[in-house]
Amino acid sequence: MKSTPETLAIDGGEKTVQSTFPWPIYDESEVQAVAEVIRSGRWGNPDCGEAVAAFEQAFAAYCGTKYAVTCVNGSVSLRLALISCGVRPGDEVIVPPYTFIATASTVLEVNCVPVFVDIDPDTYNLDPKAIEAAITERTKVIIPVHFAGLACDMDAILDIAQRHNLRVIEDAAHAHGAEYRGRKLGSIGDVGSFSFQSSKNLTSGEGGIVVTNDESLYRMMASLRNVGRVEGHQWYDHFNPGCNYRITQMQAVLLSQQLNRLEEQTVLRNDNGLYLNELLADIDGTTPLSRGTEEIRHCYHLYIFKYDASAFGGLSRKDFVAQLAAEGVPCSMGYPHPLYKQPVFQNKNFMCYAIPETVDYTSVNCPAAERACSDEAVWIFQHAMLGTREDMRSFAEAIRKIQRVVSQS
């Protein structure tokens, strides 16, 4: 008897993945915590910011740092870190091109020059081997991005920074709870910067935080976050050119409740990522990104694998991702191009910022980042990584189903 051909979900067939993956995850504890703040009438910060201070202390303790300063978002947290690290107009800051725009645009906002250094093709993190060649006498900071929640090679990066007297700001916007050699990401460099935007592994809808062990950096970031005020002085004394970047009591209690869930969720994401790596290793045309060679815990803000169209009958990555999403796997192709190809850099739309006229991004080329954007990367979102082992098997089966169907067409 002739078998009935499979029908992809995108063409009206049954979805392979039947589970749904809600985000954010919450219960009455979050609702009650926010309701108590509302009923108290003490919503502001810093005039009644006890909940904000409590969350900062809890998050610093979780990361293993002495200090933490909350702020309105993860872009501002990078800005606070850069200014506190002492950058001046025209200084250069090394950043990867495969990351969200804020890693580079905040460098522009402090009147400095982003210098794009390519990523490691196996991990999609900043490639230490490429950093040293990009350092000049104007370089002041390296911003390694722990992309997707995978730790950068921090030993190599810190060695380079120490030899060249550079500051290291960890962009840990994806990396809540992830670890490198037993240390939480964000606690290893001079400053760690996190985002609490709605897609992040720890979220209050919006928000950010910086962590550090350096008291002088902490005091400056706290001042910049609070309109330039300095602790111990009068309310209307402003010592630094800061702004009101404070979060509210309601965000703080929400984050405190969410922090209670983070460790368990991180362990689950890491375990599911390891299992999905095993499953995809057996499928031609899908190559999970390397977890690096160091002792790490991955928090899988994104699970990323490389797609090879030749193993799928030449099916374009765009069509593959559309079909995978229709099968019920929350996924995307990620960034359409590296940051230096964004119009703000190509057209030098630097407006009021003091960027030297000689800066030109039209000839920048980072081959590994180009391939990731144009040909390779497939992202599975973090909330899907909170599923069961059966869900991970269904993700792999969805890929096999697509492969079978396209091979028969």
Side-chain angles (χ1 to χ4, degrees):
M1 182 177 178
K2 188 175 181 180
S3 62
T4 303
E6 288 183 287
T7 303
L8 294 171
I10 202 168
D11 296 321
E14 184 178 7
K15 290 197 305 181
T16 304
V17 181
Q18 295 297 315
S19 299
T20 58
F21 307 96
W23 187 257
I25 293 171
Y26 65 93
D27 61 22
E28 282 302 308
S29 63
E30 279 88 352
V31 175
Q32 183 63 28
V34 173
E36 287 177 4
V37 171
I38 293 173
R39 293 190 188 103
S40 75
R42 296 171 59 80
W43 299 358
N45 170 34
D47 53 328
C48 48
E50 300 91 343
V52 176
F55 171 70
E56 290 172 341
Q57 292 165 10
F59 192 77
Y62 179 76
C63 292
T65 60
K66 294 179 181 178
Y67 309 106
V69 178
T70 52
C71 58
V72 292
N73 56 55
S75 301
V76 164
S77 62
L78 285 170
R79 180 184 175 94
L80 298 180
L82 282 162
I83 296 172
S84 298
C85 282
V87 296
R88 296 292 182 267
D91 285 348
E92 294 176 350
V93 177
I94 289 174
V95 299
Y98 194 75
T99 181
F100 184 61
I101 186 70
T103 309
S105 62
T106 52
V107 175
L108 294 177
E109 287 186 322
V110 296
N111 294 302
C112 292
V113 179
V115 175
F116 293 103
V117 170
D118 208 358
I119 56 175
D120 182 320
D122 295 325
T123 65
Y124 286 3
N125 275 337
L126 190 63
D127 188 348
K129 297 187 297 294
I131 291 174
E132 204 136 16
I135 294 173
T136 73
E137 62 182 12
R138 293 185 296 176
T139 307
K140 295 297 186 293
V141 176
I142 304 171
I143 304 182
V145 177
H146 301 301
F147 194 76
L150 173 65
C152 292
D153 185 346
M154 291 304 295
D155 284 351
I157 290 170
L158 289 175
D159 176 66
I160 293 167
Q162 289 164 3
R163 286 189 284 106
H164 293 274
N165 194 31
L166 305 177
R167 293 282 200 174
V168 174
I169 298 171
E170 296 174 74
D171 186 336
H174 290 180
H176 316 72
E179 295 180 358
Y180 176 87
R181 294 184 179 272
R183 300 174 66 184
K184 290 289 194 299
L185 299 188
S187 71
I188 302 168
D190 294 286
V191 182
S193 168
F194 294 84
S195 168
F196 301 134
Q197 179 263 350
S198 57
S199 72
K200 299 303 189 291
N201 294 26
L202 182 64
T203 183
S204 54
E206 290 289 356
I209 199 167
V210 279
V211 298
T212 187
N213 287 308
D214 186 314
E215 183 177 1
S216 64
L217 292 178
Y218 160 69
R219 293 194 180 281
M220 178 57 73
M221 291 187 292
S223 175
L224 295 172
R225 180 271 307 266
N226 190 24
V227 206
R229 297 184 177 106
V230 172
E231 186 177 352
H233 290 266
Q234 296 184 76
W235 182 253
Y236 287 113
D237 287 340
H238 305 275
F239 292 83
N240 298 297
C243 195
N244 178 2
Y245 294 129
R246 302 185 301 265
I247 67 168
T248 67
Q249 294 268 81
M250 286 170 276
Q251 288 171 285
V253 295
L254 190 55
L255 286 165
S256 290
Q257 294 299 318
Q258 290 284 297
L259 183 59
N260 293 332
R261 307 172 189 278
L262 180 61
E263 187 69 11
E264 182 180 356
Q265 291 174 340
T266 302
V267 170
L268 178 57
R269 290 188 186 99
N270 184 67
D271 290 348
N272 277 338
L274 288 168
Y275 185 48
L276 194 52
N277 281 353
E278 294 176 12
L279 297 172
L280 266 57
D282 293 333
I283 302 175
D284 289 341
T286 64
T287 304
L289 290 188
S290 169
R291 289 167 59 101
T293 59
E294 308 297 344
E295 177 191 343
I296 64 104
R297 182 171 75 174
H298 200 321
C299 71
Y300 286 105
H301 175 66
L302 299 166
Y303 179 93
I304 303 178
F305 64 91
K306 296 181 184 181
Y307 173 72
D308 181 356
S310 67
F312 290 79
L315 181 71
S316 72
R317 184 177 58 135
K318 179 179 179 181
D319 288 342
F320 169 78
V321 169
Q323 292 178 11
L324 190 61
E327 294 295 334
V329 181
C331 62
S332 83
M333 293 188 294
Y335 304 124
H337 39 244
L339 285 186
Y340 52 80
K341 288 194 172 179
Q342 289 285 351
V344 63
F345 294 109
Q346 290 291 298
N347 301 334
K348 299 175 70 170
N349 293 336
F350 302 147
M351 297 181 292
C352 60
Y353 300 120
I355 309 304
E357 289 291 328
T358 55
V359 172
D360 180 15
Y361 292 100
T362 59
S363 60
V364 175
N365 180 43
C366 295
E370 297 272 355
R371 289 193 301 273
C373 292
S374 63
D375 301 322
E376 296 177 346
V378 177
W379 296 0
I380 296 176
F381 300 130
Q382 60 90 2
H383 53 287
M385 301 306 293
L386 293 174
T388 64
R389 282 207 155 199
E390 178 58 35
D391 292 323
M392 300 305 109
R393 290 193 289 271
S394 70
F395 294 172
E397 176 53 30
I399 295 171
R400 291 192 186 94
K401 177 182 176 183
I402 295 167
Q403 194 168 55
R404 288 194 298 269
V405 171
V406 297
S407 67
Q408 294 167 4
S409 61

